[in-house]
C-alpha cells in the first residue's frame, strides 16, 4: 500500500516538483491534506490540496506536488510575496487559460453530455458575455477601473464579510460557533459599506500601495534566492530571474507612471476575462461538435 506522502522525499533534495501517477497511489489522501480553493492556475488541474508546505495539483492521471517555501495557513503574507508573486500569478493565469482553450478532454465531455445535452449553449452564452466584458475593459481601462473600484470592491468586501460571519454561525441547530469570526465579519461588512464613499483616487492609492509592497517584496525575496545560485531556485533559475526583474519593474512603474499603470493593469484584467470567455466558448463548441457525432 502506497500513500502520496511516500513519494515526496525528492522535494527535500532539490527537486522542484514530483509527478506521481494516480495508479501508483493506492491509499486515499490522509486527513492532513486539505482542499485548497485559491491557487495559482495550472493547466489540467481539476483540484488542489495542501498539507503544510506541500501543495498538490490533481490532474486526470497524476498528482503533481511541489513544496512551498511558506505555509499559507501560517504565513499568508510571506507565501504571497515569495511563493506567489503577482507577475507569476498573472503569467500562470494566461498560460492556464490559453492551454484550456486548446485542450480537449473527451472524458469530461462525455460526462457532461450524459447530464446536459444543452450544456454547450450555456457555455457559449457565458463565454460571449465574458469576452464582451473583457473587450470593453481592454478598450476602456480607466472607465472600467473607476467602475470596478466604485462598485465591485465594496461588494467584494461585503460578500467576504458575510462569508466570515457565516463561518461563525451554525444553522442547524442555530448557534454561535465563533464570536470572533462574527465580529470580524461585521467589521469587514462595515468597511465595505463605508468604502462606497471613497474617491477613485483614494482607491487607486490603496490598491497600488499594496501592489507596490507586494511587487517590491517579491523582487527582494527572488533576488535573494537567486544570489544563492541555481540550487536555491529548483523551479527554474532564468524563469525566476525574469519574475524578479518584472516584479521590480512593476514596483518602479507604480511610482513613476501610476496612471499609465492603472490602464495597463486594468487591460490585463480585461484580457484575462476575455480569455476566460474564449475558453468557455471553445469548450461549448467542442460539446456541440460531440453532440452532433453521438
Amino acid at each position: 500500500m502506497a500513500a502520496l506522502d511516500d513519494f515526496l522525499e525528492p522535494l527535500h533534495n532539490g527537486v522542484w516538483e514530483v509527478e506521481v501517477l494516480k495508479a501508483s497511489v493506492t491509499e486515499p489522501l490522509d486527513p492532513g491534506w486539505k482542499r485548497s480553493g485559491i491557487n495559482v492556475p495550472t493547466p489540467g488541474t481539476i483540484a488542489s490540496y495542501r498539507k503544510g508546505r506541500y501543495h498538490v495539483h490533481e490532474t486526470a492521471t497524476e498528482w503533481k506536488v511541489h513544496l512551498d517555501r511558506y505555509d499559507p495557513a501560517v504565513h499568508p503574507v510571506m507565501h504571497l510575496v515569495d511563493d506567489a508573486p503577482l507577475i507569476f500569478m498573472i503569467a500562470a493565469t494566461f498560460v492556464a487559460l490559453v492551454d484550456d482553450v486548446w485542450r480537449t478532454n473527451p472524458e469530461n465531455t462525455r460526462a457532461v453530455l450524459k447530464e446536459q445535452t444543452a450544456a454547450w449553449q450555456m457555455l457559449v452564452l457565458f463565454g460571449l458575455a465574458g469576452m464582451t466584458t473583457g473587450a470593453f475593459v481592454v478598450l476602456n481601462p480607466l472607465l472600467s477601473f473607476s467602475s470596478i473600484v466604485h462598485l465591485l470592491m465594496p461588494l467584494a468586501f461585503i460578500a467576504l464579510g458575510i462569508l466570515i460571519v457565516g463561518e461563525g454561525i451554525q444553522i442547524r441547530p442555530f448557534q454561535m460557533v465563533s464570536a470572533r469570526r462574527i465580529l470580524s465579519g461585521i467589521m469587514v461588512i462595515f468597511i465595505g459599506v463605508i468604502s462606497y464613499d471613497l474617491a477613485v483616487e483614494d482607491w487607486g492609492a490603496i490598491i497600488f500601495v499594496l501592489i507596490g509592497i507586494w511587487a517590491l517584496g517579491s523582487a527582494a525575496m527572488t533576488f535573494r534566492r537567486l544570489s544563492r545560485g541555481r540550487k536555491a531556485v529548483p523551479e527554474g533559475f532564468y524563469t525566476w530571474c525574469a519574475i524578479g526583474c518584472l516584479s521590480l519593474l512593476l514596483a518602479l512603474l507604480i511610482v513613476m507612471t501610476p496612471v499609465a499603470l492603472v490602464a495597463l493593469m486594468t487591460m490585463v484584467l480585461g484580457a484575462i476575462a476575455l480569455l476566460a470567455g474564449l475558453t468557455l466558448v471553445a469548450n461549448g463548441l467542442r460539446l456541440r461538435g460531440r453532440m452532433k457525432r453521438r
Side-chain angles (χ1 to χ4, degrees), residues 51-74:
K51 183 180 182 180
R53 291 167 57 207
Y54 291 121
H55 187 188
V56 58
H57 294 285
E58 180 187 2
T59 70
T61 59
E62 294 178 315
W63 301 101
K64 296 183 177 181
V65 193
H66 66 267
L67 187 66
D68 287 330
R69 291 175 181 81
Y70 294 93
D71 180 354
V74 180

PDB file of all heavy atoms in Angstrom, residues 51-74:
ATOM      1  N   LYS A  51      -0.988  20.513   2.442  1.00  0.00           N
ATOM      2  CA  LYS A  51      -0.661  19.870   3.715  1.00  0.00           C
ATOM      3  C   LYS A  51       0.613  20.534   4.216  1.00  0.00           C
ATOM      4  O   LYS A  51       1.715  20.177   3.806  1.00  0.00           O
ATOM      5  CB  LYS A  51      -0.448  18.367   3.536  1.00  0.00           C
ATOM      6  CG  LYS A  51      -0.181  17.612   4.835  1.00  0.00           C
ATOM      7  CD  LYS A  51       0.007  16.127   4.549  1.00  0.00           C
ATOM      8  CE  LYS A  51       0.214  15.337   5.833  1.00  0.00           C
ATOM      9  NZ  LYS A  51       0.406  13.892   5.558  1.00  0.00           N
ATOM     10  N   GLY A  52       0.438  21.546   5.063  1.00  0.00           N
ATOM     11  CA  GLY A  52       1.594  22.332   5.461  1.00  0.00           C
ATOM     12  C   GLY A  52       2.162  23.056   4.254  1.00  0.00           C
ATOM     13  O   GLY A  52       1.457  23.767   3.543  1.00  0.00           O
ATOM     14  N   ARG A  53       3.442  22.838   3.981  1.00  0.00           N
ATOM     15  CA  ARG A  53       4.082  23.475   2.828  1.00  0.00           C
ATOM     16  C   ARG A  53       3.896  22.675   1.543  1.00  0.00           C
ATOM     17  O   ARG A  53       4.214  23.163   0.459  1.00  0.00           O
ATOM     18  CB  ARG A  53       5.574  23.663   3.108  1.00  0.00           C
ATOM     19  CG  ARG A  53       5.863  24.704   4.195  1.00  0.00           C
ATOM     20  CD  ARG A  53       7.309  24.632   4.650  1.00  0.00           C
ATOM     21  NE  ARG A  53       8.210  24.800   3.525  1.00  0.00           N
ATOM     22  CZ  ARG A  53       9.443  24.308   3.474  1.00  0.00           C
ATOM     23  NH1 ARG A  53       9.903  23.582   4.484  1.00  0.00           N
ATOM     24  NH2 ARG A  53      10.209  24.514   2.419  1.00  0.00           N
ATOM     25  N   TYR A  54       3.403  21.454   1.650  1.00  0.00           N
ATOM     26  CA  TYR A  54       3.146  20.659   0.451  1.00  0.00           C
ATOM     27  C   TYR A  54       1.908  21.200  -0.276  1.00  0.00           C
ATOM     28  O   TYR A  54       0.894  21.505   0.344  1.00  0.00           O
ATOM     29  CB  TYR A  54       2.901  19.192   0.803  1.00  0.00           C
ATOM     30  CG  TYR A  54       4.105  18.446   1.310  1.00  0.00           C
ATOM     31  CD1 TYR A  54       4.087  17.851   2.570  1.00  0.00           C
ATOM     32  CD2 TYR A  54       5.252  18.325   0.536  1.00  0.00           C
ATOM     33  CE1 TYR A  54       5.183  17.154   3.050  1.00  0.00           C
ATOM     34  CE2 TYR A  54       6.357  17.630   1.009  1.00  0.00           C
ATOM     35  CZ  TYR A  54       6.323  17.054   2.261  1.00  0.00           C
ATOM     36  OH  TYR A  54       7.413  16.368   2.730  1.00  0.00           O
ATOM     37  N   HIS A  55       2.010  21.267  -1.593  1.00  0.00           N
ATOM     38  CA  HIS A  55       0.891  21.727  -2.415  1.00  0.00           C
ATOM     39  C   HIS A  55       0.774  20.786  -3.610  1.00  0.00           C
ATOM     40  O   HIS A  55       1.716  20.649  -4.391  1.00  0.00           O
ATOM     41  CB  HIS A  55       1.135  23.160  -2.890  1.00  0.00           C
ATOM     42  CG  HIS A  55      -0.043  23.765  -3.591  1.00  0.00           C
ATOM     43  ND1 HIS A  55       0.008  24.982  -4.233  1.00  0.00           N
ATOM     44  CD2 HIS A  55      -1.322  23.323  -3.750  1.00  0.00           C
ATOM     45  CE1 HIS A  55      -1.170  25.259  -4.754  1.00  0.00           C
ATOM     46  NE2 HIS A  55      -1.994  24.270  -4.478  1.00  0.00           N
ATOM     47  N   VAL A  56      -0.360  20.113  -3.719  1.00  0.00           N
ATOM     48  CA  VAL A  56      -0.546  19.140  -4.790  1.00  0.00           C
ATOM     49  C   VAL A  56      -1.641  19.609  -5.739  1.00  0.00           C
ATOM     50  O   VAL A  56      -2.685  20.099  -5.314  1.00  0.00           O
ATOM     51  CB  VAL A  56      -0.880  17.735  -4.232  1.00  0.00           C
ATOM     52  CG1 VAL A  56      -2.127  17.760  -3.363  1.00  0.00           C
ATOM     53  CG2 VAL A  56      -1.060  16.733  -5.370  1.00  0.00           C
ATOM     54  N   HIS A  57      -1.359  19.474  -7.033  1.00  0.00           N
ATOM     55  CA  HIS A  57      -2.351  19.712  -8.075  1.00  0.00           C
ATOM     56  C   HIS A  57      -2.784  18.349  -8.616  1.00  0.00           C
ATOM     57  O   HIS A  57      -1.951  17.570  -9.086  1.00  0.00           O
ATOM     58  CB  HIS A  57      -1.767  20.556  -9.212  1.00  0.00           C
ATOM     59  CG  HIS A  57      -1.416  21.953  -8.806  1.00  0.00           C
ATOM     60  ND1 HIS A  57      -2.358  22.930  -8.603  1.00  0.00           N
ATOM     61  CD2 HIS A  57      -0.216  22.538  -8.552  1.00  0.00           C
ATOM     62  CE1 HIS A  57      -1.763  24.053  -8.252  1.00  0.00           C
ATOM     63  NE2 HIS A  57      -0.466  23.840  -8.210  1.00  0.00           N
ATOM     64  N   GLU A  58      -4.062  18.087  -8.543  1.00  0.00           N
ATOM     65  CA  GLU A  58      -4.596  16.830  -9.060  1.00  0.00           C
ATOM     66  C   GLU A  58      -5.010  17.007 -10.513  1.00  0.00           C
ATOM     67  O   GLU A  58      -5.772  17.917 -10.850  1.00  0.00           O
ATOM     68  CB  GLU A  58      -5.803  16.387  -8.235  1.00  0.00           C
ATOM     69  CG  GLU A  58      -6.424  15.083  -8.719  1.00  0.00           C
ATOM     70  CD  GLU A  58      -7.712  14.735  -8.000  1.00  0.00           C
ATOM     71  OE1 GLU A  58      -8.151  15.533  -7.150  1.00  0.00           O
ATOM     72  OE2 GLU A  58      -8.282  13.665  -8.304  1.00  0.00           O
ATOM     73  N   THR A  59      -4.501  16.151 -11.391  1.00  0.00           N
ATOM     74  CA  THR A  59      -4.934  16.126 -12.782  1.00  0.00           C
ATOM     75  C   THR A  59      -5.703  14.829 -13.013  1.00  0.00           C
ATOM     76  O   THR A  59      -5.930  14.057 -12.078  1.00  0.00           O
ATOM     77  CB  THR A  59      -3.737  16.216 -13.743  1.00  0.00           C
ATOM     78  OG1 THR A  59      -2.983  14.996 -13.680  1.00  0.00           O
ATOM     79  CG2 THR A  59      -2.822  17.380 -13.378  1.00  0.00           C
ATOM     80  N   ALA A  60      -6.084  14.579 -14.233  1.00  0.00           N
ATOM     81  CA  ALA A  60      -6.859  13.370 -14.521  1.00  0.00           C
ATOM     82  C   ALA A  60      -6.067  12.102 -14.251  1.00  0.00           C
ATOM     83  O   ALA A  60      -6.631  11.070 -13.871  1.00  0.00           O
ATOM     84  CB  ALA A  60      -7.331  13.394 -15.976  1.00  0.00           C
ATOM     85  N   THR A  61      -4.742  12.165 -14.401  1.00  0.00           N
ATOM     86  CA  THR A  61      -3.933  10.946 -14.287  1.00  0.00           C
ATOM     87  C   THR A  61      -2.823  11.025 -13.250  1.00  0.00           C
ATOM     88  O   THR A  61      -2.214  10.005 -12.935  1.00  0.00           O
ATOM     89  CB  THR A  61      -3.285  10.617 -15.650  1.00  0.00           C
ATOM     90  OG1 THR A  61      -2.464  11.728 -16.061  1.00  0.00           O
ATOM     91  CG2 THR A  61      -4.348  10.361 -16.708  1.00  0.00           C
ATOM     92  N   GLU A  62      -2.543  12.236 -12.726  1.00  0.00           N
ATOM     93  CA  GLU A  62      -1.370  12.395 -11.866  1.00  0.00           C
ATOM     94  C   GLU A  62      -1.660  13.266 -10.652  1.00  0.00           C
ATOM     95  O   GLU A  62      -2.625  14.038 -10.627  1.00  0.00           O
ATOM     96  CB  GLU A  62      -0.220  13.052 -12.650  1.00  0.00           C
ATOM     97  CG  GLU A  62       0.352  12.232 -13.773  1.00  0.00           C
ATOM     98  CD  GLU A  62       1.446  12.992 -14.496  1.00  0.00           C
ATOM     99  OE1 GLU A  62       1.239  14.194 -14.794  1.00  0.00           O
ATOM    100  OE2 GLU A  62       2.503  12.397 -14.766  1.00  0.00           O
ATOM    101  N   TRP A  63      -0.764  13.112  -9.668  1.00  0.00           N
ATOM    102  CA  TRP A  63      -0.647  14.067  -8.577  1.00  0.00           C
ATOM    103  C   TRP A  63       0.653  14.839  -8.822  1.00  0.00           C
ATOM    104  O   TRP A  63       1.716  14.241  -8.908  1.00  0.00           O
ATOM    105  CB  TRP A  63      -0.567  13.366  -7.223  1.00  0.00           C
ATOM    106  CG  TRP A  63      -1.731  12.487  -6.878  1.00  0.00           C
ATOM    107  CD1 TRP A  63      -1.795  11.132  -6.970  1.00  0.00           C
ATOM    108  CD2 TRP A  63      -3.001  12.905  -6.361  1.00  0.00           C
ATOM    109  NE1 TRP A  63      -3.022  10.671  -6.548  1.00  0.00           N
ATOM    110  CE2 TRP A  63      -3.783  11.744  -6.166  1.00  0.00           C
ATOM    111  CE3 TRP A  63      -3.555  14.149  -6.043  1.00  0.00           C
ATOM    112  CZ2 TRP A  63      -5.086  11.792  -5.667  1.00  0.00           C
ATOM    113  CZ3 TRP A  63      -4.852  14.194  -5.548  1.00  0.00           C
ATOM    114  CH2 TRP A  63      -5.602  13.031  -5.364  1.00  0.00           C
ATOM    115  N   LYS A  64       0.568  16.162  -8.945  1.00  0.00           N
ATOM    116  CA  LYS A  64       1.761  16.979  -9.140  1.00  0.00           C
ATOM    117  C   LYS A  64       1.996  17.780  -7.862  1.00  0.00           C
ATOM    118  O   LYS A  64       1.203  18.664  -7.525  1.00  0.00           O
ATOM    119  CB  LYS A  64       1.589  17.915 -10.337  1.00  0.00           C
ATOM    120  CG  LYS A  64       1.437  17.181 -11.663  1.00  0.00           C
ATOM    121  CD  LYS A  64       1.341  18.158 -12.825  1.00  0.00           C
ATOM    122  CE  LYS A  64       1.260  17.425 -14.156  1.00  0.00           C
ATOM    123  NZ  LYS A  64       1.197  18.371 -15.307  1.00  0.00           N
ATOM    124  N   VAL A  65       3.084  17.461  -7.172  1.00  0.00           N
ATOM    125  CA  VAL A  65       3.320  18.029  -5.847  1.00  0.00           C
ATOM    126  C   VAL A  65       4.581  18.885  -5.853  1.00  0.00           C
ATOM    127  O   VAL A  65       5.620  18.480  -6.382  1.00  0.00           O
ATOM    128  CB  VAL A  65       3.478  16.920  -4.783  1.00  0.00           C
ATOM    129  CG1 VAL A  65       3.401  17.525  -3.383  1.00  0.00           C
ATOM    130  CG2 VAL A  65       2.427  15.835  -4.959  1.00  0.00           C
ATOM    131  N   HIS A  66       4.482  20.073  -5.271  1.00  0.00           N
ATOM    132  CA  HIS A  66       5.670  20.890  -5.039  1.00  0.00           C
ATOM    133  C   HIS A  66       5.671  21.359  -3.585  1.00  0.00           C
ATOM    134  O   HIS A  66       4.664  21.236  -2.877  1.00  0.00           O
ATOM    135  CB  HIS A  66       5.742  22.080  -6.005  1.00  0.00           C
ATOM    136  CG  HIS A  66       4.657  23.093  -5.811  1.00  0.00           C
ATOM    137  ND1 HIS A  66       3.468  23.068  -6.514  1.00  0.00           N
ATOM    138  CD2 HIS A  66       4.564  24.171  -4.980  1.00  0.00           C
ATOM    139  CE1 HIS A  66       2.705  24.070  -6.146  1.00  0.00           C
ATOM    140  NE2 HIS A  66       3.343  24.763  -5.205  1.00  0.00           N
ATOM    141  N   LEU A  67       6.793  21.889  -3.166  1.00  0.00           N
ATOM    142  CA  LEU A  67       6.968  22.311  -1.777  1.00  0.00           C
ATOM    143  C   LEU A  67       7.087  23.827  -1.732  1.00  0.00           C
ATOM    144  O   LEU A  67       8.051  24.401  -2.241  1.00  0.00           O
ATOM    145  CB  LEU A  67       8.224  21.662  -1.186  1.00  0.00           C
ATOM    146  CG  LEU A  67       8.475  21.871   0.311  1.00  0.00           C
ATOM    147  CD1 LEU A  67       7.398  21.178   1.141  1.00  0.00           C
ATOM    148  CD2 LEU A  67       9.859  21.335   0.691  1.00  0.00           C
ATOM    149  N   ASP A  68       6.077  24.483  -1.155  1.00  0.00           N
ATOM    150  CA  ASP A  68       6.136  25.936  -0.996  1.00  0.00           C
ATOM    151  C   ASP A  68       7.165  26.308   0.066  1.00  0.00           C
ATOM    152  O   ASP A  68       7.482  25.509   0.954  1.00  0.00           O
ATOM    153  CB  ASP A  68       4.764  26.484  -0.589  1.00  0.00           C
ATOM    154  CG  ASP A  68       3.764  26.468  -1.735  1.00  0.00           C
ATOM    155  OD1 ASP A  68       4.194  26.588  -2.897  1.00  0.00           O
ATOM    156  OD2 ASP A  68       2.554  26.337  -1.467  1.00  0.00           O
ATOM    157  N   ARG A  69       7.641  27.518  -0.016  1.00  0.00           N
ATOM    158  CA  ARG A  69       8.592  27.980   0.999  1.00  0.00           C
ATOM    159  C   ARG A  69       7.885  28.368   2.292  1.00  0.00           C
ATOM    160  O   ARG A  69       8.472  28.325   3.367  1.00  0.00           O
ATOM    161  CB  ARG A  69       9.398  29.164   0.454  1.00  0.00           C
ATOM    162  CG  ARG A  69      10.348  28.745  -0.653  1.00  0.00           C
ATOM    163  CD  ARG A  69      11.058  29.927  -1.282  1.00  0.00           C
ATOM    164  NE  ARG A  69      11.927  29.452  -2.342  1.00  0.00           N
ATOM    165  CZ  ARG A  69      11.505  29.156  -3.567  1.00  0.00           C
ATOM    166  NH1 ARG A  69      10.233  29.311  -3.877  1.00  0.00           N
ATOM    167  NH2 ARG A  69      12.341  28.706  -4.480  1.00  0.00           N
ATOM    168  N   TYR A  70       6.622  28.768   2.162  1.00  0.00           N
ATOM    169  CA  TYR A  70       5.862  29.168   3.342  1.00  0.00           C
ATOM    170  C   TYR A  70       4.476  28.524   3.297  1.00  0.00           C
ATOM    171  O   TYR A  70       3.846  28.452   2.238  1.00  0.00           O
ATOM    172  CB  TYR A  70       5.713  30.696   3.409  1.00  0.00           C
ATOM    173  CG  TYR A  70       7.016  31.424   3.621  1.00  0.00           C
ATOM    174  CD1 TYR A  70       7.761  31.883   2.535  1.00  0.00           C
ATOM    175  CD2 TYR A  70       7.517  31.636   4.906  1.00  0.00           C
ATOM    176  CE1 TYR A  70       8.966  32.542   2.723  1.00  0.00           C
ATOM    177  CE2 TYR A  70       8.721  32.299   5.100  1.00  0.00           C
ATOM    178  CZ  TYR A  70       9.436  32.745   4.013  1.00  0.00           C
ATOM    179  OH  TYR A  70      10.636  33.397   4.202  1.00  0.00           O
ATOM    180  N   ASP A  71       4.023  28.070   4.435  1.00  0.00           N
ATOM    181  CA  ASP A  71       2.673  27.531   4.564  1.00  0.00           C
ATOM    182  C   ASP A  71       1.697  28.709   4.584  1.00  0.00           C
ATOM    183  O   ASP A  71       1.760  29.554   5.491  1.00  0.00           O
ATOM    184  CB  ASP A  71       2.574  26.734   5.868  1.00  0.00           C
ATOM    185  CG  ASP A  71       1.193  26.127   6.084  1.00  0.00           C
ATOM    186  OD1 ASP A  71       0.272  26.413   5.297  1.00  0.00           O
ATOM    187  OD2 ASP A  71       1.042  25.363   7.060  1.00  0.00           O
ATOM    188  N   PRO A  72       0.789  28.806   3.599  1.00  0.00           N
ATOM    189  CA  PRO A  72      -0.119  29.960   3.559  1.00  0.00           C
ATOM    190  C   PRO A  72      -1.032  30.061   4.768  1.00  0.00           C
ATOM    191  O   PRO A  72      -1.508  31.149   5.097  1.00  0.00           O
ATOM    192  CB  PRO A  72      -0.920  29.725   2.268  1.00  0.00           C
ATOM    193  CG  PRO A  72      -0.775  28.269   1.976  1.00  0.00           C
ATOM    194  CD  PRO A  72       0.569  27.879   2.485  1.00  0.00           C
ATOM    195  N   ALA A  73      -1.287  28.941   5.439  1.00  0.00           N
ATOM    196  CA  ALA A  73      -2.136  28.987   6.629  1.00  0.00           C
ATOM    197  C   ALA A  73      -1.411  29.619   7.812  1.00  0.00           C
ATOM    198  O   ALA A  73      -2.045  30.160   8.719  1.00  0.00           O
ATOM    199  CB  ALA A  73      -2.599  27.578   6.997  1.00  0.00           C
ATOM    200  N   VAL A  74      -0.083  29.562   7.797  1.00  0.00           N
ATOM    201  CA  VAL A  74       0.715  30.091   8.906  1.00  0.00           C
ATOM    202  C   VAL A  74       1.326  31.441   8.554  1.00  0.00           C
ATOM    203  O   VAL A  74       1.344  32.366   9.371  1.00  0.00           O
ATOM    204  CB  VAL A  74       1.830  29.090   9.287  1.00  0.00           C
ATOM    205  CG1 VAL A  74       2.665  29.632  10.448  1.00  0.00           C
ATOM    206  CG2 VAL A  74       1.233  27.737   9.651  1.00  0.00           C
TER     207      VAL A  74
END
